[in-house]
C-alpha cells in the first residue's frame, strides 16, 4: 500500500509528469534520428552499389564538375525512390519531380565541390606579371580573406548549376529519346543528346557564369551577384552577359559529346 501511495503521489506531481513527457519526446526524437540515419546509409549504399553495377566509367569519365553532378544526381534519385516515390502515383508528374529534385541536388553538390577550384583557375588566368602556382595563389587568397575567399562566387555557381543541371539532364534525355524513336543508331543518338545538353546548358547559364567569373577574378571581392549583374548591365548591356559565348560553347559541346559517348559505351560493355 505504501508503494502504491508513492506511485500515485509521483504521478500527480507536475514536475514528475513534465520529466516523463520530456523523456518520452526525447525517446521519439532519438528513434526518428536513428531511422533517418539508417535510411540515409541505405540510400548511399544503394547508390554505391548501382554505380559499381553500371561500371566505373559512369563516374570515371568527364571532368570533376560533371562527375560531381552525376554523383549528386544519382543520390537524389535514390533519396527520391526511398522517401518520396512511395507517396506519389507513378507517371509524368513523378518523373518531372524526380528530375527537379535529383537535378537540384546534383547541381548543389557540384557547385560546392568545384567552387574552390574554379576560384583558383579564374584567379590564375586573370593574373598579370609573374604567374603564381595554385598553392601560392590559394595561400594568397586565404591570407587576404581567410578560407571563405576560396568560395567567392559560390552563390552564383549554385544559381548556375541547380537549374543548369536540371536543364542538362532533361535536354539530353529528351533528345536521346526522340532520336531513338526516329531509329537513329545509338552512338549517333548519344552524340546528339550530348550536343543538345551542352547547347541548352551553355545558353541558359552563361549569364551566371559571367557573374561568377567577375566575382572570382577579383582578389579582394567584387561584391554580391546582384551588384555585379547591375554593373555588367549598366556598362556592357545584355550582350555583356554572353561575353565569350563561342569558346565556352565550343568547349561544352566537345566535352559533353565525348563524356556522354564514352560513358554510354562503357555502360553498354559492362
Amino acid at each position: 500500500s505504501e508503494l502504491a501511495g508513492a506511485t500515485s503521489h509521483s504521478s500527480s506531481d507536475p514536475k514528475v509528469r513534465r520529466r516523463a513527457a520530456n523523456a518520452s519526446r526525447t525517446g521519439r526524437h532519438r528513434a526518428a534520428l536513428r531511422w533517418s540515419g539508417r535510411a540515409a546509409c541505405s540510400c548511399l549504399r544503394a547508390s554505391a552499389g548501382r554505380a559499381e553495377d553500371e561500371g566505373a566509367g559512369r563516374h570515371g569519365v568527364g571532368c570533376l564538375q560533371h562527375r560531381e553532378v552525376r554523383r549528386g544526381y544519382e543520390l537524389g534519385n535514390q533519396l527520391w525512390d526511398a522517401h518520396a516515390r512511395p507517396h506519389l502515383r507513378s507517371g509524368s508528374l513523378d518523373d518531372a519531380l524526380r528530375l527537379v529534385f535529383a537535378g537540384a541536388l546534383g547541381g548543389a553538390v557540384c557547385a560546392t565541390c568545384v567552387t574552390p577550384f574554379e576560384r583558383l583557375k579564374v584567379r590564375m588566368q586573370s593574373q598579370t606579371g609573374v604567374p603564381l602556382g595554385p598553392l601560392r595563389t590559394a595561400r594568397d587568397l586565404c591570407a587576404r580573406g581567410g578560407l571563405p575567399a576560396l568560395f567567392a562566387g559560390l552563390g552564383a555557381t549554385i544559381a548556375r548549376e541547380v537549374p543548369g543541371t536540371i536543364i542538362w539532364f532533361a535536354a539530353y534525355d529528351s533528345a536521346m529519346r526522340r532520336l531513338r524513336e526516329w531509329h537513329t543508331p545509338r552512338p549517333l543518338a548519344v552524340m546528339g543528346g550530348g550536343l543538345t545538353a551542352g547547347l541548352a546548358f551553355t545558353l541558359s547559364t552563361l549569364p551566371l557564369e559571367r557573374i561568377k567569373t567577375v566575382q572570382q577574378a577579383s582578389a579582394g571581392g567584387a561584391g554580391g551577384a546582384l551588384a555585379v549583374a547591375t554593373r555588367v548591365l549598366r556598362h556592357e548591356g545584355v550582350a555583356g552577359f554572353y561575353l565569350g559565348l563561342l569558346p565556352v560553347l565550343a568547349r561544352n559541346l566537345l566535352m559533353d559529346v565525348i563524356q556522354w559517348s564514352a560513358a554510354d559505351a562503357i555502360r553498354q560493355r559492362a
Side-chain angles (χ1 to χ4, degrees), residues 8-19:
S8 174
H9 175 72
S10 62
S11 62
S12 62
D13 189 346
K15 294 182 178 179
V16 173
R17 290 201 302 271
R18 283 197 297 270
R19 284 197 296 269

Side-chain angles (χ1 to χ4, degrees), residues 208-243:
L208 291 165
E209 173 75 15
R210 177 70 199 284
I211 294 172
K212 176 193 74 70
T213 302
V214 172
Q215 288 180 308
Q216 293 178 338
S218 174
L226 184 59
V228 173
T230 302
R231 288 201 303 271
V232 171
L233 185 62
R234 182 185 302 120
H235 296 293
E236 304 176 35
V238 176
F241 292 107
Y242 288 90
L243 191 66

Side-chain angles (χ1 to χ4, degrees), residues 118-140:
E118 287 277 315
R119 169 71 155 147
L120 292 177
K121 181 201 72 172
V122 172
R123 183 60 188 157
M124 291 175 66
Q125 290 177 340
S126 62
Q127 290 174 356
T128 58
V130 180
L132 302 178
L135 294 179
R136 179 72 179 276
T137 303
R139 287 198 299 267
D140 182 62

Side-chain angles (χ1 to χ4, degrees), residues 27-43 45 79 81-84 86-87:
R28 290 196 299 270
H29 291 164
R30 288 175 178 172
L33 288 174
R34 285 195 297 270
W35 180 87
S36 300
R38 287 196 297 269
C41 290
S42 65
C43 288
R45 284 195 298 269
L79 292 173
D81 288 340
H83 298 288
H87 305 288

Side-chain angles (χ1 to χ4, degrees), residues 39 42-44 46-48 50 54 58-59 69-86 94-107 109 165 169 173 260:
S42 65
C43 288
L44 289 172
S47 178
R50 178 180 166 190
E54 292 182 352
R58 180 81 180 235
H59 296 316
V69 165
R70 290 174 184 274
R71 288 192 177 99
Y73 186 81
E74 288 187 354
L75 177 58
N77 276 321
Q78 295 292 332
L79 292 173
W80 183 267
D81 288 340
H83 298 288
R85 190 173 186 179
D94 175 53
D95 294 339
L97 292 177
R98 172 205 290 271
L99 173 65
V100 171
F101 176 76
L105 184 58
V109 170
T165 301
F169 278 105
D173 185 64
W260 281 111

